Amino acid sequence: MLDTAKTRWHPIAASYDLPFRHVFHGQLLGREFAVWRADDGYINVWENRCLHRGVRLSIGINDGRELKCQYHGWRYSNRTAGCTYIPAHPADAPARTITNRTFAAVERYGLVWSAEEPQGEVPELPGFAEGELLTLRGIAVNAPADAVAARLRSYRFQPTGQIDGSDAKVTVEAANDFSVALRAVEGSSTTLAVFFVQPVDSNRSVIRGVLEGRAEGAVRMAVLHHHNDRLSKLRDVVEREAVARPAPAPLEPVIERVSPELAEMPEETKHGRKATIRVEVARKWQAADGIAGFELRPIRGLLPTFQPGAHIDVHMPNGLIRQYSITNGPGESESYVIGVKLEKESKGGSICMHETLRQGDVLAISEPRNNFPLRRDAVKTIFIAGGIGITPLIAMAQALHNQNLAFDLHYFAQNEAQLAFPEKTSGLGGALKPHLGLTPEATGAKLREILANYQPGRHLYLCGPGPMLEAARNVATEAGWPEAAVHFEYFKNTNKIDDSSSFEVALARSCVTLKVPAGRTILDVMREAGVDMPSSCEQGACGTCLATVIEGEPDHQDVYLNDAERKSGTKIMTCVSRAKSARLVLDL
Amino acid sequence: MITLYDYELSGNCYKLRLLMSMLGVDYKTVPIDFYPGREHKSEWFLKINPLGQLPVIDDDGLVLRDAQAILVYLASKYDPSGTWYPRDEAALLGEISQWLAFADGITGTASAARLHDALFYDFDVEAARVGAHRLFRILDEHLWFGEQEGRIWLCSAAHPTIADIACFPYIMLSEEGGIPRQDYPAIRRWCDRVKRLKGFMVMSGVFPAGPAKAA
């Protein structure tokens, strides 16, 4: 009876099976895997199934950073297997629950090891040094793994130093249901060979052999052929025996609909802004004149999937909370890289990041949120960044660059020394267009030049200081850009908030009516009543606490909504905006 | 101008479209209603090819049948680089012919299984699948040892030849005949390489590959 323990490590591929930009089709105990190596070397072992329509991801495209399904183009990130883009919903950020199941991967002895619920370590091979061994060609066998392993005990081969000899003595040094260690000795030559039998399914296996010691050139080829020939003969024998027996039923792995961790509702809290992730400042450096770069690595596990345009809340040692965009390119999922400009009139946030925080410090951050999603169906995309506004746009530009989509990145700054993250922007080639040291008038002229000739299918993404954003939005409107094609993100809301009104808020789904007095926000009052609402900047800039208005007239005071959204009267930012009518009904 | 008597779902027609695309040769097609119309067995078509098989080309009056034969002709006539079918390299020509015959073997097995499953042909599908797996095992071993020695195409040349084009389509379409390629990882990698050749085009059931990693 085949041991189907999910806790046991098995090889599922050889290292040579995972060249860059390829997806290997693996299987263990009936469960299929899409296995791919990202350009950063990370080996992804995923359920071989797109979460959308169940198509095998092993026929998908490995672009070095993400895996794209062939069917409807859903993209999944390196490491996390979280969905980063759904072409049919170009304006939306995919929900975090759209995350494929991942499995462990360890590369050792020229083999890639995995298990559904691994316990302990990959088997130790005493005397086998990495790089000092020879991985044989995997031999697929249509027979149960234990039958193959039993037959391997009587496998005969020549030691590497006597490959042309014929009477090596072979002894079994160790054996179990899934592996056999054999030593061949002839004269002074001796070779230890370990054969692992991968249980692909109840009646299918792969023999994966590893020999101690390196061999080069013609000897290496002779050894590889020697084992290939003999293992193929062994396979033929085992297969003949297997055909004579009734075939066992195929194993039927259970495909989880969604992982328990993603399925559960987040805990209710009163304080609202959650910092659920602990990260270490792995690196702090000067990303440009006046701008500090921070690389944030998870203390344990993986960081959640992010999409271009997403930001995180950073909870600082001094108690302040600030939002910073993730600058990472697609698939760069090992750490988050953010850039922080030292503000002259810092209220403590940027000063703390620049002066207090040091490499090695631990920070609490929120999960990434994306209220500035990037469409990838534009004929051409124009990015306009002012100063530190480059950070979300760098992530976006890298995503389009990776997919070979057309874009220009206009980067306004005082001088060359202020251009941040040159190591990221240099990869963008001619698409990066710096504009340095321009006066406000010259900036206006340049914006008019960039935004002239609007053509359908173009999209514009803006991020920078308030006055520049206002100017760019006005220029775009004059040049005929429709509002739906102009996307923007403010650093902060500089509007003076008028909180003198008092009104009533009815939450239609929660069946409660709350009074919002002057001096308090909708968000505050809702939280006090136990309605959990996500928020981030709490000043009307980031878009996190957006609610849908069913009835009543909102009094907009944010800088997140565009004019069309404001006029529609169907959306409201609950952190700063209020009501002009006596009553607001929200879809909450 | 070349005229190709063509059926979209035929792997043998596809291999000609593929090579002509890679060579940048202009051609027009005459679609033949292979299924369900059986136009390739019609009286008018039998006059063009008495075997009643696709594909056939007509190149300014020269009428040729048999996919492998046509590949030889197209590469000999229209490949200025002389690499797809190098006329002066005897050993390589021998290798190419060997794999062209192998491609016929793939047609006789993997394609037959697909015709059984997709177009309801009355074939012994189990025998066809067993035959295809036997060929795929041989091919996977050949390609795996090639990779170990730095040879990434079917023949021992640093470039692809018509042998690669001849074998590619019915391997790629094998799943439609119930023949998975999971046990042939070296074949799967070689398929990626073919898909990355300049001028590569797809057909129904053949998906494109992404770009290779920049060196």
Side-chain angles (χ1 to χ4, degrees):
Chain A
M1 194 60 194
L2 188 70
D3 174 5
T4 56
K6 295 175 181 175
T7 50
R8 189 194 294 267
W9 288 97
H10 288 286
I12 57 160
S15 297
Y16 56 68
D17 284 320
L18 303 179
F20 291 119
R21 309 298 178 102
H22 179 73
V23 188
F24 175 80
H25 185 174
Q27 192 170 346
L28 182 64
L29 294 166
R31 184 179 296 280
E32 284 193 33
F33 300 125
V35 188
W36 61 285
R37 192 190 296 272
D39 283 2
D40 65 6
Y42 189 86
I43 296 174
N44 292 280
V45 180
W46 294 359
E47 191 99 73
N48 192 15
R49 185 173 178 280
C50 180
L51 292 165
H52 178 218
R53 289 289 181 191
V55 165
R56 285 193 172 99
L57 289 174
S58 55
I59 65 166
I61 290 177
N62 165 3
D63 77 4
R65 296 158 172 269
E66 295 179 326
L67 186 64
K68 185 180 110 174
C69 178
Q70 288 279 12
Y71 201 16
H72 297 99
W74 287 33
R75 304 182 74 91
Y76 298 93
S77 173
N78 177 29
R79 276 189 190 81
T80 64
C83 182
T84 56
Y85 188 65
I86 299 174
H89 300 278
D92 300 330
R96 72 176 189 126
T97 45
I98 309 177
T99 296
N100 200 355
R101 186 166 176 200
T102 60
F103 298 90
V106 172
E107 195 167 17
R108 203 138 179 226
Y109 310 123
L111 300 173
V112 177
W113 301 75
S114 190
E116 202 170 316
E117 295 156 11
Q119 275 177 14
E121 302 294 320
V122 167
E124 193 70 33
L125 299 186
F128 276 60
E130 287 301 332
E132 292 293 323
L133 44 79
L134 187 60
T135 311
L136 303 178
R137 175 170 176 254
I139 304 287
V141 189
N142 291 315
D146 45 358
V148 177
R151 176 60 67 171
L152 273 168
R153 291 169 193 235
S154 50
Y155 178 68
R156 292 291 168 266
F157 65 100
Q158 289 295 120
T160 297
Q162 285 286 340
I163 202 69
D164 295 324
S166 58
D167 51 317
K169 279 209 161 27
V170 180
T171 49
V172 178
E173 296 217 333
N176 64 28
D177 275 2
F178 296 102
S179 61
V180 180
L182 302 171
R183 183 173 291 283
V185 181
E186 182 168 331
S188 58
S189 288
T190 169
T191 298
L192 179 64
V194 182
F195 297 93
F196 299 98
V197 186
Q198 169 192 349
V200 174
D201 206 329
S202 62
N203 203 29
R204 293 166 58 212
S205 325
V206 180
I207 304 171
R208 300 197 180 275
V210 184
L211 305 189
E212 67 170 349
R214 260 225 301 251
E216 302 291 346
V219 175
R220 178 171 176 276
M221 292 312 296
V223 172
L224 292 174
H225 276 291
H226 175 83
H227 285 277
N228 188 68
D229 292 350
R230 292 184 178 213
L231 290 171
S232 297
K233 284 207 183 78
L234 180 142
R235 172 196 67 198
D236 294 345
V237 171
V238 183
E239 287 189 344
R240 271 198 299 276
E241 290 169 355
V243 166
R245 289 190 300 266
L251 301 172
E252 287 185 26
V254 176
I255 310 266
E256 284 174 26
R257 290 173 64 87
V258 62
S259 76
E261 183 244 331
L262 288 171
E264 71 198 14
M265 292 293 284
E267 267 176 60
E268 253 188 58
T269 51
K270 287 272 191 263
H271 54 81
R273 293 196 276 187
K274 301 178 189 79
T276 51
I277 304 165
R278 297 288 175 279
V279 291
E280 183 189 347
V281 178
R283 195 159 66 95
K284 176 185 177 184
W285 72 103
Q286 188 172 351
D289 197 5
I291 297 173
F294 295 87
E295 183 184 353
L296 309 177
R297 276 178 193 275
I299 299 291
R300 70 180 79 81
L302 293 178
L303 290 170
T305 310
F306 65 92
Q307 301 122 15
H311 73 266
I312 49 171
D313 293 350
V314 174
H315 294 239
M316 298 179 189
N318 62 6
L320 291 174
I321 304 174
R322 290 288 184 272
Q323 291 73 47
Y324 297 107
S325 295
I326 298 172
T327 63
N328 297 35
E332 293 172 0
S333 39
E334 212 172 4
S335 58
Y336 295 149
V337 173
I338 58 173
V340 179
K341 186 186 173 198
L342 182 61
E343 295 292 343
K344 278 194 212 112
E345 292 165 26
S346 171
K347 290 179 193 151
S350 67
I351 284 189
C352 176
M353 292 296 284
H354 272 255
E355 293 176 8
T356 311
L357 213 59
R358 273 178 293 191
Q359 193 165 313
D361 284 357
V362 173
L363 276 178
I365 63 171
S366 69
E367 294 207 345
R369 249 184 311 264
N370 193 0
N371 305 318
F372 195 27
L374 170 68
R375 300 182 69 106
R376 306 189 199 184
D377 58 348
V379 174
K380 180 161 187 181
T381 304
I382 312 286
F383 297 114
I384 297 181
I388 192 64
I390 189 69
T391 50
L393 303 187
I394 278 187
M396 294 184 179
Q398 290 173 100
L400 295 190
H401 181 74
N402 185 49
Q403 283 179 249
N404 232 344
L405 298 171
F407 71 93
D408 284 331
L409 172 55
H410 297 275
Y411 189 176
F412 290 79
Q414 284 309 312
N415 52 54
E416 188 143 7
Q418 290 189 1
L419 295 176
F421 299 109
E423 71 284 2
K424 289 178 185 283
T425 53
S426 62
L428 304 174
L432 174 70
K433 300 181 193 305
H435 306 293
L436 302 176
L438 300 186
T439 61
E441 294 71 36
T443 301
K446 181 56 79 180
L447 288 172
R448 278 188 289 281
E449 182 190 318
I450 295 166
L451 297 174
N453 305 321
Y454 166 73
Q455 287 162 24
R458 293 194 169 200
H459 279 266
L460 173 62
Y461 291 81
L462 304 165
C463 188
M468 181 188 165
L469 248 57
E470 298 296 335
R473 287 173 67 194
N474 289 335
V475 170
T477 307
E478 284 162 19
W481 287 75
E483 251 186 313
V486 180
H487 316 268
F488 52 86
E489 186 172 79
Y490 282 80
F491 300 150
K492 57 186 173 199
N493 184 358
T494 50
N495 294 338
K496 187 148 174 49
I497 307 296
D498 175 2
D499 60 1
S500 59
S501 59
S502 62
F503 53 97
E504 203 176 78
V505 170
L507 306 182
R509 286 198 236 184
S510 313
C511 296
V512 288
T513 300
L514 306 168
K515 281 217 175 327
V516 183
R520 299 201 62 198
T521 68
I522 302 176
L523 187 64
D524 264 352
V525 172
M526 287 197 300
R527 283 205 176 133
E528 196 177 74
V531 177
D532 193 26
M533 182 78 185
S535 71
S536 177
C537 77
E538 301 195 350
Q539 54 163 297
C542 78
T544 304
C545 63
L546 181 84
T548 299
V549 179
I550 297 173
E551 208 182 292
E553 190 187 349
D555 173 16
H556 296 293
Q557 305 202 40
D558 64 281
V559 291
Y560 179 76
L561 299 176
N562 67 26
D563 290 341
E565 289 165 329
R566 284 165 169 249
K567 277 184 204 132
S568 76
T570 58
K571 292 175 178 179
I572 188 167
M573 306 313 308
T574 53
C575 63
V576 290
S577 297
R578 309 181 70 82
K580 286 182 177 162
S581 52
R583 181 180 155 90
L584 269 188
V585 183
L586 302 183
D587 188 16
L588 286 171
Chain B
M1 177 75 116
I2 299 169
T3 299
L4 169 65
Y5 293 89
D6 188 35
Y7 180 57
E8 162 64 29
L9 298 181
S10 157
N12 274 333
C13 293
Y14 167 59
K15 66 180 73 161
L16 304 187
R17 298 195 295 266
L18 192 53
L19 183 65
M20 287 193 281
S21 168
M22 288 174 175
L23 294 177
V25 178
D26 272 347
Y27 64 98
K28 62 179 187 193
T29 57
V30 176
I32 300 297
D33 181 11
F34 182 90
Y35 183 88
R38 288 177 60 80
E39 198 176 1
H40 57 300
K41 303 292 184 191
S42 68
E43 211 171 308
W44 78 267
F45 192 79
L46 288 173
K47 282 185 192 145
I48 294 170
N49 180 3
L51 294 177
Q53 290 170 345
L54 289 173
V56 172
I57 63 158
D58 181 336
D59 189 7
D60 281 336
L62 173 69
V63 177
L64 285 175
R65 61 173 185 251
D66 187 284
Q68 271 61 271
I70 298 169
L71 287 177
V72 169
Y73 168 74
L74 290 172
S76 303
K77 180 149 186 200
Y78 292 104
D79 171 23
S81 74
T83 57
W84 288 97
Y85 190 70
R87 275 168 292 177
D88 303 326
E89 296 181 45
L92 198 49
L93 289 185
E95 278 186 62
I96 292 174
S97 294
Q98 170 188 301
W99 289 109
L100 293 183
F102 193 85
D104 278 330
I106 297 173
T107 305
T109 53
S111 168
R114 177 171 171 262
L115 286 174
H116 172 274
D117 282 11
L119 304 185
F120 314 111
Y121 273 60
D122 185 19
F123 289 146
D124 179 349
V125 69
E126 275 317 311
R129 286 181 188 143
V130 168
H133 280 297
R134 190 178 142 260
L135 296 179
F136 286 4
R137 272 189 174 173
I138 292 165
L139 181 59
D140 188 77
E141 183 177 314
H142 174 70
L143 286 168
W144 190 87
F145 279 100
E147 287 177 340
Q148 297 299 315
E149 295 173 300
R151 172 180 56 70
I152 59 171
W153 304 107
L154 281 183
C155 299
S156 20
H159 52 77
T161 63
I162 57 169
D164 297 283
I165 304 300
C167 289
F168 175 78
Y170 285 122
I171 291 175
M172 259 337 279
L173 296 167
S174 72
E175 302 258 3
E176 296 183 3
I179 303 158
R181 295 184 297 283
Q182 190 188 358
D183 287 342
Y184 313 109
I187 292 182
R188 294 183 81 252
R189 294 193 288 276
W190 166 79
C191 286
D192 274 9
R193 295 196 282 273
V194 173
K195 291 173 179 185
R196 286 183 178 132
L197 290 171
K198 195 161 175 281
F200 176 80
M201 62 189 297
V202 297
M203 67 166 277
S204 302
V206 177
F207 304 107
K213 186 169 185 260

